[in-house]
């Protein structure tokens, strides 16, 4: 029998506490379990860019109907990867329009013959707009390049004698004023200067608009009655950990649910039944950030078992979700994790590397986390879009705290504040919260970076967006990152934490490091006086070409980057005693940008090069972050003495 609200949820789709989502269905990360299998589709796909003038030849000729090789020449394209940098054709690097990917897959017989098996195609990210066909039949469309989407393809793969299926994905990277991030297409009509039909893509952000299948694509199975979504929130009552759960089921209204919480040694510490409840964990081990506690990142496992009776016999589904017990709160001048002041000493990142562009890559990811830990960084912001789910999982495991940012970067045109844009932005926040709500590492949502928040419609836009995000998830604070003036910022009244970017002695008063202290102190004082909210210096930095040396320092040299950072640190050290709760360097590593006279092969504000080698500033920051860690580390009694977590990442 159905218990709790799960039956209703099957109709309404998942509910977070108190707020109905427009989205249908959950987006649990596909994990193997006794009832679930996965088949990864990474590797070589067939590929073709549609270079026709209107970019629509693929649709006119219906390239999805037959194998791609039959409608013209194809290239081998690795997945996951951006398509831009893997080839030798200059036209492909900057291509704007539709590209076509295709892959033939052989399926296990059980998947195609057992009608009690549900087969799902999941695309981790396709930048930017994607249309998907299986065996020539349209199965999904998705807008947005940084969040996963799925299609139930059971009927298609189970309808014929075939044990293989052909997956075709058309992807368009065009950005318009209503996409996130926004962009504009500029047509040049002067035929004395430009060839006929000439256009370029303009954007208001500086990272390169890499495109393609950036994250894993896979097929996975569930039973036809299945666990569709789980929502966890956690709390503490004295020493007792509280794990509130809601489980959403699809496929039937008649089922039973059992949940068990296991500690890191596999011991059951709490259990319950039904679609909703609270588990109580006496003497709980808390999830602490890296360097804040001897045993950071303690993860329990929530095992959910669904059983149901059907005419064909019993069905069961099983899903295990990592759970960290921790609380987050914000006061007038503090950011609290587990009730203790937390100071963000971390970085801003990008998903970016040589050749693969924004393509997901395990070696790169592990290298980046090793560098973060070497640096003594306890946090990062997913500037300027949601990162791969696997990144968030490592943050949970290593205790790296995350400010989870939407792709709302470069919202500067009035058109991008229209209702159409706002509606899409609301949906993106729903998709983001749905995907990342259960990660203990995520402590705050950022709805945007450096929007033109002084424009008149920005007040309503951010008020609505932030309120909606809080409805979706009342358990986390919400912010957006500003570079505007404190008194002109129409969004700031609605945020919980002020995140401010500034580039003193880089974009202003360049070459004059002597003004930094005064200007930075003034910045902090004005923001605090106006809003009385904690402040994070969410970006600061200097362009630096690795190996350029100049003393006394000149711009672009490693000495200038270090000198500039030191000036910022003097002020941060004063203000962190009052209300500044964090500092995030721009940027972790050099990254690719659009070509422009201001950028020499990309943005060079990394403290590591694009190949992840340290510049001088990395050593300076490392010394600072470890010092900060030792000062701000929590020497708690009760929780500390109970912790036996086996995380290897102690210090
Ligand atoms: C900031 C933006 C960031 C840029 C940075 C820069 O938030 O995306 O890369 O400037 O110019 O304003 O380096």
């Amino acid at each position: 029998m159905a218990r709790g609200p799960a039956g209703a949820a099957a109709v309404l789709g998942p509910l977070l506490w108190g707020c109905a989502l427009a989205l249908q269905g959950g987006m649990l990360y596909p994990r193997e379990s006794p009832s679930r299998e996965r088949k990864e589709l990474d590797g070589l796909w067939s590929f073709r860019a549609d270079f026709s003038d209107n970019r629509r030849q693929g649709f006119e000729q219906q390239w999805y109907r037959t194998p791609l090789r039959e409608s013209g020449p194809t290239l081998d394209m690795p997945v996951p990867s951006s398509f831009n940098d893997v080839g030798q054709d200059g036209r492909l690097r900057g291509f704007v329009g539709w590209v076509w990917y295709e892959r033939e897959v052989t399926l296990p017989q059980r998947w195609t013959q057992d009608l009690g098996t549900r087969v799902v195609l999941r695309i981790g990210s396709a930048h930017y707009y994607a249309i998907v066909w299986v065996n020539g039949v349209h199965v999904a469309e998705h807008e947005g390049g940084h969040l996963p989407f799925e299609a139930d393809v059971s009927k298609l793969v189970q309808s014929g004698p075939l044990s293989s299926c052909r997956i075709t994905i058309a992807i368009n990277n065009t950005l318009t004023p209503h996409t996130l991030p926004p962009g504009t297409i500029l047509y040049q009509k002067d035929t004395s200067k430009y060839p006929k039909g000439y256009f370029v893509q303009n954007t208001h952000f500086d990272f390169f608009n890499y495109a393609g299948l950036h994250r894993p694509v896979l097929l996975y199975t569930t039973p036809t009655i299945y666990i569709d979504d789980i929502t966890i929130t956690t709390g503490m009552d004295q020493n007792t950990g509280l794990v509130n759960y809601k489980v959403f089921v699809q496929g039937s209204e008649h089922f039973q649910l059992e949940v068990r919480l296991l500690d890191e040694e596999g011991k059951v510490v709490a259990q319950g039944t039904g679609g909703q409840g609270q588990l109580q964990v006496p003497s709980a081990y808390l999830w602490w950030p890296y360097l804040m506690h001897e045993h950071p990142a303690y993860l329990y496992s929530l095992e959910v078992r669904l059983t149901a009776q059907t005419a064909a016999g019993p069905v069961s589904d099983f899903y295990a979700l990592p759970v960290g017990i921790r609380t987050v709160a914000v006061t007038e001048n503090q950011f609290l994790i587990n009730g203790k002041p937390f100071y963000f000493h971390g970085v801003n990142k990008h998903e970016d590397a040589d050749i693969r562009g924004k393509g997901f890559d395990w070696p790169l990811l592990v290298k980046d986390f090793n560098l973060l830990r070497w640096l003594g960084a306890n946090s990062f912001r997913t500037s300027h879009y949601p990162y791969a789910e696997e990144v968030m999982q490592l943050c949970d495991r290593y205790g790296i705290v995350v400010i989870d940012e939407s792709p709302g970067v470069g919202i500067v045109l009035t058109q991008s504040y229209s209702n159409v844009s706002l509606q899409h932005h609301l949906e993106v926040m729903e998709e983001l919260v749905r995907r990342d709500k259960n990660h203990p590492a995520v402590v705050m949502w950022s709805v945007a970076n450096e929007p033109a928040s002084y424009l008149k419609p920005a007040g309503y836009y951010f008020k609505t967006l932030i309120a909606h995000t809080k409805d979706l998830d009342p358990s986390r604070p919400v912010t957006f990152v500003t570079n505007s003036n404190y008194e002109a910022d129409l969004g700031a009244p609605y945020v919980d934490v002020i995140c401010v970017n500034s580039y003193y002695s880089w974009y202003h008063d360049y070459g004059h490091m002597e003004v930094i202290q005064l200007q930075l102190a003034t910045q902090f004082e004005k923001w605090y006086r106006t809003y009385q909210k904690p402040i994070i210096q969410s970006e600061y930095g200097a362009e630096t070409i690795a190996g350029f040396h100049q003393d006394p320092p000149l711009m672009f040299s490693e000495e200038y980057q270090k000198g500039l950072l030191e000036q910022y640190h003097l002020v941060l050290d004063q203000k962190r005693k009052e209300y500044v709760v964090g500092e995030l360097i721009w940027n972790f590593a050099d990254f690719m940008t659009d070509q422009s006279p201001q950028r020499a092969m990309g943005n060079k504000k990394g403290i590591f090069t694009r190949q992840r080698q340290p510049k001088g500033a990395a050593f300076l920051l490392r010394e600072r972050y470890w010092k900060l860690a030792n000062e701000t580390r929590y020497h708690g009694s009760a929780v500390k003495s109970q912790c036996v977590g086996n995380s290897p990442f102690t210090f």
Side-chain angles (χ1 to χ4, degrees):
M1 282 297 292
R3 300 185 198 181
V11 182
L12 293 173
L15 304 177
L16 274 178
W17 307 153
C19 175
L21 291 177
L23 291 176
Q24 290 296 309
M27 196 52 68
L28 287 176
Y29 186 73
R31 294 175 192 279
E32 281 175 327
S33 82
S35 58
R36 294 169 174 236
E37 293 164 86
R38 284 169 56 122
K39 187 174 177 56
E40 260 120 73
L41 304 182
D42 297 352
L44 289 187
W45 288 51
S46 296
F47 175 92
R48 184 184 308 136
D50 185 342
F51 283 107
S52 62
D53 284 348
N54 66 1
R55 302 288 197 256
R56 297 202 55 84
Q57 192 177 24
F59 293 97
E60 286 154 12
Q61 298 180 350
Q62 301 185 324
W63 288 352
Y64 48 88
R65 300 218 49 172
T66 53
L68 204 53
R69 62 180 177 277
E70 292 179 14
S71 50
T74 58
L75 299 175
D76 281 341
M77 187 56 70
V79 172
S81 177
S82 301
F83 62 72
N84 311 77
D85 285 350
V86 296
Q88 285 302 100
D89 180 351
R91 292 179 312 156
L92 190 56
R93 183 170 191 280
F95 181 80
V96 179
W98 290 99
V99 297
W100 292 71
Y101 282 79
E102 182 199 74
R103 168 87 191 248
E104 304 254 2
V105 192
T106 305
L107 301 174
Q109 204 174 42
R110 208 179 57 68
W111 292 25
T112 57
Q113 300 197 347
D114 175 2
L115 299 185
T117 295
R118 181 173 155 265
V119 183
V120 183
L121 173 63
R122 187 185 222 262
I123 292 149
S125 108
H127 188 71
Y128 174 81
Y129 193 95
I131 308 180
V132 186
W133 296 262
V134 169
N135 293 337
V137 178
H138 176 279
V139 295
E141 265 181 56
H142 184 257
E143 174 175 358
H146 309 91
L147 288 163
F149 61 99
E150 295 186 341
D152 180 339
V153 297
S154 323
K155 284 212 176 67
L156 279 166
V157 300
Q158 289 165 355
S159 64
L162 287 177
S163 60
S164 70
C165 69
R166 186 167 46 82
I167 300 168
T168 314
I169 308 179
I171 303 178
N172 194 326
N173 59 355
T174 308
L175 300 178
T176 74
H178 304 307
T179 57
L180 268 194
T184 42
I185 296 287
L186 178 68
Y187 288 93
Q188 297 287 9
K189 299 212 170 103
D190 181 346
T191 49
S192 70
K193 290 191 184 156
Y194 302 98
K196 196 167 158 277
Y198 186 88
F199 66 88
V200 287
Q201 168 81 72
N202 285 336
T203 59
H204 300 277
F205 50 85
D206 75 338
F207 56 92
F208 187 67
N209 189 34
Y210 279 112
L213 288 171
H214 282 157
R215 299 186 188 149
V217 179
L218 55 91
L219 287 162
Y220 72 94
T221 65
T222 72
T224 45
I225 303 172
Y226 61 97
I227 299 159
D228 183 43
D229 202 5
I230 303 170
T231 300
I232 299 295
T233 56
T234 61
M236 276 301 276
D237 182 6
Q238 314 257 352
N239 269 354
T240 302
L242 308 174
V243 177
N244 304 303
Y245 67 88
K246 282 191 177 182
V247 181
F248 305 95
V249 171
Q250 293 279 9
S252 175
E253 302 225 328
H254 307 288
F255 52 82
Q256 285 175 327
L257 285 168
E258 290 164 68
V259 297
R260 305 193 309 166
L261 193 72
L262 279 67
D263 67 14
E264 285 187 350
E265 268 122 43
K267 200 169 103 246
V268 178
V269 294
Q271 46 195 324
T273 54
Q276 173 173 9
Q278 183 178 79
L279 303 178
Q280 302 197 348
V281 190
S283 307
Y285 306 130
L286 297 185
W287 187 95
W288 287 98
Y290 174 54
L291 300 180
M292 199 172 172
H293 194 273
E294 287 89 335
H295 300 288
Y298 192 95
L299 289 176
Y300 291 89
S301 174
L302 184 82
E303 294 189 352
V304 181
R305 181 185 297 276
L306 161 88
T307 47
Q309 289 299 330
T310 68
V315 171
S316 60
D317 189 20
F318 182 84
Y319 191 89
L321 180 77
V323 169
I325 301 177
R326 61 109 187 84
T327 61
V328 175
V330 168
T331 71
E332 215 176 75
N333 58 359
Q334 288 174 313
F335 196 100
L336 303 173
I337 296 185
N338 299 331
K340 305 291 167 203
F342 176 74
Y343 188 76
F344 295 78
H345 42 91
V347 305
N348 292 277
K349 287 184 95 265
H350 261 302
E351 291 186 316
D352 176 90
D354 287 333
I355 301 172
R356 59 193 54 63
K358 290 198 176 306
F360 178 78
D361 182 41
W362 277 113
L364 178 75
L365 185 59
V366 173
K367 178 72 179 175
D368 279 5
F369 274 84
N370 285 333
L371 288 176
L372 287 170
R373 289 165 47 213
W374 173 88
L375 195 63
N378 63 4
S379 51
F380 66 77
R381 171 165 69 117
T382 67
S383 44
H384 293 310
Y385 38 79
Y387 293 176
E389 289 156 285
E390 292 79 0
V391 178
M392 312 310 281
Q393 289 162 9
L394 277 197
C395 289
D396 289 347
R397 285 182 48 196
Y398 292 1
I400 302 291
V401 166
V402 178
I403 301 173
D404 203 351
E405 187 157 282
S406 91
V409 54
I411 306 178
V412 299
L413 305 170
T414 315
Q415 292 153 281
S416 301
Y417 282 108
S418 67
N419 273 340
V420 182
S421 291
L422 176 58
Q423 193 52 39
H424 178 55
H425 206 151
L426 294 170
E427 281 162 17
V428 169
M429 288 315 299
E430 291 182 358
E431 285 185 38
L432 177 58
V433 173
R434 174 176 68 172
R435 193 195 73 164
D436 288 351
K437 63 190 170 184
N438 294 325
H439 288 289
V442 174
V443 299
M444 181 154 65
W445 305 110
S446 163
V447 297
N449 179 69
E450 295 189 358
S453 42
Y454 47 84
L455 292 179
K456 202 156 167 251
Y460 173 74
Y461 189 97
F462 285 105
K463 183 178 175 194
T464 313
L465 194 56
I466 290 170
H468 189 60
T469 308
K470 283 173 183 261
D471 276 350
L472 293 167
D473 178 13
S475 77
R476 291 178 178 91
V478 183
T479 190
F480 74 88
V481 172
T482 183
N483 67 343
S484 78
N485 194 315
Y486 70 101
E487 68 212 334
D489 199 308
L490 301 175
Y494 308 109
V495 301
D496 296 307
V497 174
I498 303 280
C499 287
V500 55
N501 297 347
S502 52
Y503 285 90
Y504 303 121
S505 103
W506 190 261
Y507 289 124
H508 320 274
D509 301 293
Y510 27 89
H512 292 283
M513 290 196 274
E514 64 277 16
V515 304
I516 294 176
Q517 287 192 48
L518 179 60
Q519 295 188 357
L520 185 62
T522 306
Q523 164 201 282
F524 286 139
E525 281 153 22
K526 287 188 165 168
W527 278 103
Y528 192 71
R529 202 177 310 131
T530 315
Y531 295 104
Q532 285 95 51
K533 293 178 185 179
I535 304 177
I536 295 176
Q537 181 68 40
S538 41
E539 283 184 30
Y540 69 110
E543 207 85 16
T544 308
I545 314 268
F548 272 29
H549 291 286
Q550 196 70 39
D551 191 37
L554 294 183
M555 289 175 82
F556 296 97
S557 68
E558 298 205 21
E559 288 71 19
Y560 193 89
Q561 187 180 36
K562 285 200 282 187
L564 183 145
L565 265 49
E566 276 166 345
Q567 293 298 307
Y568 267 79
H569 296 162
L570 289 171
V571 180
L572 286 162
D573 279 339
Q574 291 160 21
K575 300 297 178 190
R576 73 187 165 87
K577 297 190 188 108
E578 301 173 44
Y579 46 75
V580 169
V581 297
E583 52 189 86
L584 304 175
I585 187 78
W586 190 262
N587 189 285
F588 173 72
D590 294 347
F591 59 91
M592 190 46 72
T593 61
D594 253 342
Q595 298 183 70
S596 96
Q598 277 107 31
R599 299 283 188 250
M601 303 280 273
N603 186 311
K604 296 278 193 283
K605 295 194 187 71
I607 54 163
F608 297 101
T609 63
R610 199 180 193 207
Q611 296 71 34
R612 276 46 178 183
Q613 296 308 318
K615 302 180 190 171
F619 295 96
L620 178 112
L621 218 53
R622 178 176 198 241
E623 208 179 306
R624 174 170 177 79
Y625 283 1
W626 282 92
K627 191 166 133 274
L628 285 171
N630 282 325
E631 269 179 45
T632 57
R633 175 181 158 194
Y634 166 51
H635 298 276
S637 50
V639 176
K640 181 181 162 194
S641 59
Q642 290 158 8
C643 275
V644 296
N646 57 7
S647 165
F649 308 114
T650 51
F651 61 104

